[in-house]
Amino acid sequence: MFQALLTPLRGRLDLGASPKTTTPPVLVSQVEENELAPEDFARDVMIELMRNSVENLKLAEDAKTKIQVLAEIQRILRQDAATKDAFREFDGFLIVMSLLSNVQNSSNSLLSEPAEQVLSDILETTRLIITDLSEAMHEHAENAEYFRDIVGYGSLEDAMRGLITNPQTVDHVLGLILALATHDSGVSDVFTTLRATSEDQLDAALVQIVERLGVIKRPGAILILWNAIPQVASDDGAMRYAILKLFELLSLANHRNQAILSTLGIIRSLFQRFYSAKCDPTVTDKERHILQKLLRRLLDMGATTSEARLIFQRMIREDQTLDTEILDVVRFGIKSRWLEHFSMESPAALALEEENVRGLSLSGFTFMIWIWVSSLSQASHPIFTIKSVDKTILSLQIDGDGGIRLSSSAEQKSALLSSTKVYKLRWTHLTLVYHPSRTSRPSIRVFSDGVLSDTLDRTYPKAEVGQVGTFILGDASRTAKMSWCIASS
């Protein structure tokens, strides 16, 4: 690393190191070949700064130094995305997790500080740690997977347990967890606001908060928030209601959130809370109502076999009569309109590689898919793509207005399927039939919900030398922006 950094400097200094040298002059072109490109040099400098910052954080002893180094790491992460890899490789995740585990331990401090200052330092350190974690994982799949699989959200929950159980820090910490889950620092004050709101004004405050709720980016963080409810609101009915209402608002914000919450495994604990609340005099009707609404919202996405068995078991009372409230939950769950599907929050794609692909099938092909769109992108977004190593053979795309567009390597221009459209917030079944034979007229037939909607005559892409072919559903490029779902037909 140092050799790479010093190479340009050495190249310039060697030109005239001594007036007595007999070394022939070096051509300028030769010097330039040894120099790094400016952008590469700047990137290496930023990576070196990240390495130094992580080392400094490891050696920092007092709170002020830790805060300064954490703020510097945040600045570096935001300035150059290449430093996110360096943060992981230099054990940045492990070091900040260790720091978070000991953030409340001030026994190493040689100077006695006022309690208010100590609390302020703890909150600021925690905020910077969570912000750095969020920034390091944002739009970086490898870091997100590393934290989820190697570090673990369970470790994060353990590290924050002392802060969650501390009445002085709990509201700030819960807000930071929500900010981590959504990668939005603007929601970090939600729980502080709710705590300061009177019980009769909670609903009005929650209505204002709903506009600030976005897509859940880190499901593991939102599970920490759910697991914290018994610890932070066991004796506070108003706060318990506010947190449950917040989860309902998250599920209503968009389909992606609803899908994530339904797969976190919280249905069982939610149902048990709903079941026990019927006989608990400390639970208000308002809270029972929000428990039922949230339970129905998650069951709308379906339930596992064990969750369904538990609900059916509780439906029958000890005297062998039916519990009508549980029966209503069962009836609602049976009416679920969601089939098993993939929730795709672009950039997202499913890709399958196959060797010795010579292009499209010589006998033609049929492509079928169920598609449900929550929000469309302004630019065309690929639905289905077939690629070889060096080019795109065929691409089926959806435009910003829901129109469908087809392009292939055999034609220079793409074709708009004028009568085929995908509408938002409803399932649409699309079928594309492509015939290779010139005697088949039309060569392309498109069906929407089983009805023939468009026909085209297009040249069938030619077979080529066998290469690695890739079949892609969706678009994993960084510029892709669409929220949608797909299901097998």
Side-chain angles (χ1 to χ4, degrees), residues 280-296:
D280 189 345
T282 63
V283 178
T284 63
D285 291 338
K286 196 175 181 180
E287 184 179 341
R288 291 191 190 95
H289 182 61
I290 199 64
L291 283 167
Q292 185 181 53
K293 287 179 66 178
L294 180 57
L295 181 60
R296 286 185 172 187

Side-chain angles (χ1 to χ4, degrees), residues 177-201:
I177 295 173
L178 181 61
L180 174 63
T182 59
H183 187 68
D184 182 5
S185 59
V187 300
S188 60
D189 63 341
V190 164
F191 292 94
T192 306
T193 302
L194 293 176
R195 182 77 69 178
T197 305
S198 60
E199 187 172 353
D200 58 337
Q201 296 295 321

Side-chain angles (χ1 to χ4, degrees), residues 197-460:
T197 305
S198 60
E199 187 172 353
D200 58 337
Q201 296 295 321
L202 273 177
D203 288 323
L206 287 164
V207 169
Q208 296 177 357
I209 290 172
V210 69
E211 298 178 356
R212 300 157 58 187
L213 299 177
V215 177
I216 297 173
K217 303 291 181 61
R218 307 283 167 248
I222 211 69
L223 183 59
I224 296 176
L225 190 59
W226 174 264
N227 293 338
I229 295 178
Q231 303 174 45
V232 304
S234 57
D235 300 325
D236 189 342
M239 194 62 179
R240 191 167 57 241
Y241 166 79
I243 298 176
L244 291 171
K245 183 66 177 179
L246 183 64
F247 270 86
E248 188 209 6
L249 294 176
L250 274 171
S251 70
L252 291 170
N254 50 69
H255 173 72
R256 176 73 172 186
N257 286 359
Q258 182 187 10
I260 288 175
L261 291 173
S262 67
T263 57
L264 285 179
I266 67 176
I267 291 180
R268 173 178 288 272
S269 60
L270 175 60
F271 175 77
Q272 290 174 334
R273 178 62 187 170
F274 170 71
Y275 183 78
S276 61
K278 298 194 303 176
C279 304
D280 189 345
T282 63
V283 178
T284 63
D285 291 338
K286 196 175 181 180
E287 184 179 341
R288 291 191 190 95
H289 182 61
I290 199 64
L291 283 167
Q292 185 181 53
K293 287 179 66 178
L294 180 57
L295 181 60
R296 286 185 172 187
R297 180 70 177 165
L298 299 189
L299 287 176
D300 188 38
M301 297 294 297
T304 64
T305 302
S306 61
E307 291 166 348
R309 182 185 296 113
L310 174 65
I311 295 173
F312 277 106
Q313 289 173 343
R314 295 293 187 269
M315 186 175 63
I316 302 176
R317 298 193 182 99
E318 294 182 359
D319 60 0
Q320 301 301 307
T321 59
L322 290 177
D323 188 318
T324 56
E325 287 189 51
I326 307 300
L327 181 60
D328 286 340
V329 172
V330 172
R331 286 173 175 168
F332 187 87
I334 292 174
K335 296 177 182 178
S336 172
R337 62 192 178 93
W338 291 98
L339 64 162
E340 290 189 358
H341 64 279
F342 290 97
S343 173
M344 312 280 281
E345 194 72 24
S346 296
L350 300 174
L352 173 65
E353 288 190 353
E354 185 176 341
E355 296 184 357
N356 298 321
V357 174
R358 300 186 59 189
L360 302 182
S361 172
L362 297 178
S363 59
F365 74 93
T366 298
F367 170 72
M368 296 189 296
I369 190 173
W370 281 101
I371 182 170
W372 187 94
V373 176
S374 175
S375 63
L376 292 162
S377 63
Q378 296 298 323
S380 295
H381 188 287
I383 299 174
F384 176 59
T385 307
I386 302 176
K387 288 186 175 182
S388 63
V389 174
D390 54 352
K391 69 177 182 180
T392 298
I393 301 173
L394 181 137
S395 179
L396 188 66
Q397 303 175 340
I398 181 170
D399 288 344
D401 60 354
I404 301 298
R405 189 177 297 274
L406 177 68
S407 60
S408 72
S409 58
E411 303 281 351
Q412 292 184 350
K413 294 184 178 180
S414 62
L416 178 64
L417 307 177
S418 57
S419 300
T420 305
K421 249 191 174 183
V422 172
Y423 297 94
K424 292 194 295 184
L425 305 181
R426 55 160 287 189
W427 283 105
T428 302
H429 187 270
L430 291 179
T431 303
L432 170 68
V433 182
Y434 207 148
H435 296 281
S437 175
R438 295 182 179 180
T439 60
S440 299
R441 298 297 183 195
S443 60
I444 297 176
R445 295 179 176 88
V446 180
F447 299 82
S448 178
D449 291 331
V451 178
L452 181 64
S453 55
D454 273 291
T455 60
L456 291 172
D457 280 318
R458 305 271 287 186
T459 304
Y460 198 74

Side-chain angles (χ1 to χ4, degrees), residues 39-105:
E39 58 273 15
D40 294 335
F41 181 75
R43 183 196 64 231
D44 286 352
V45 170
M46 296 302 296
I47 291 174
E48 188 63 19
L49 288 174
M50 175 60 75
R51 187 189 72 81
N52 292 335
S53 295
V54 173
E55 287 296 321
N56 291 338
L57 184 61
K58 188 190 303 184
L59 300 174
E61 295 183 357
D62 60 282
K64 298 300 182 185
T65 304
K66 293 174 183 177
I67 289 173
Q68 290 175 359
V69 177
L70 287 168
E72 177 67 9
I73 290 175
Q74 176 183 322
R75 184 188 66 79
I76 296 172
L77 286 169
R78 289 178 175 175
Q79 186 171 341
D80 192 336
T83 60
K84 295 184 179 183
D85 285 310
F87 181 76
R88 181 189 70 254
E89 292 166 359
F90 296 140
D91 293 333
F93 283 108
L94 301 180
I95 292 172
V96 297
M97 286 292 293
S98 175
L99 180 59
L100 182 62
S101 300
N102 298 285
V103 70
Q104 287 184 287
N105 185 4

Side-chain angles (χ1 to χ4, degrees), residues 9 18 122 130 254 304 442 476 479 484 488:
L9 299 177
S18 171
I122 290 174
I130 297 300
N254 50 69
T304 64
T479 58
W484 56 308
S488 172

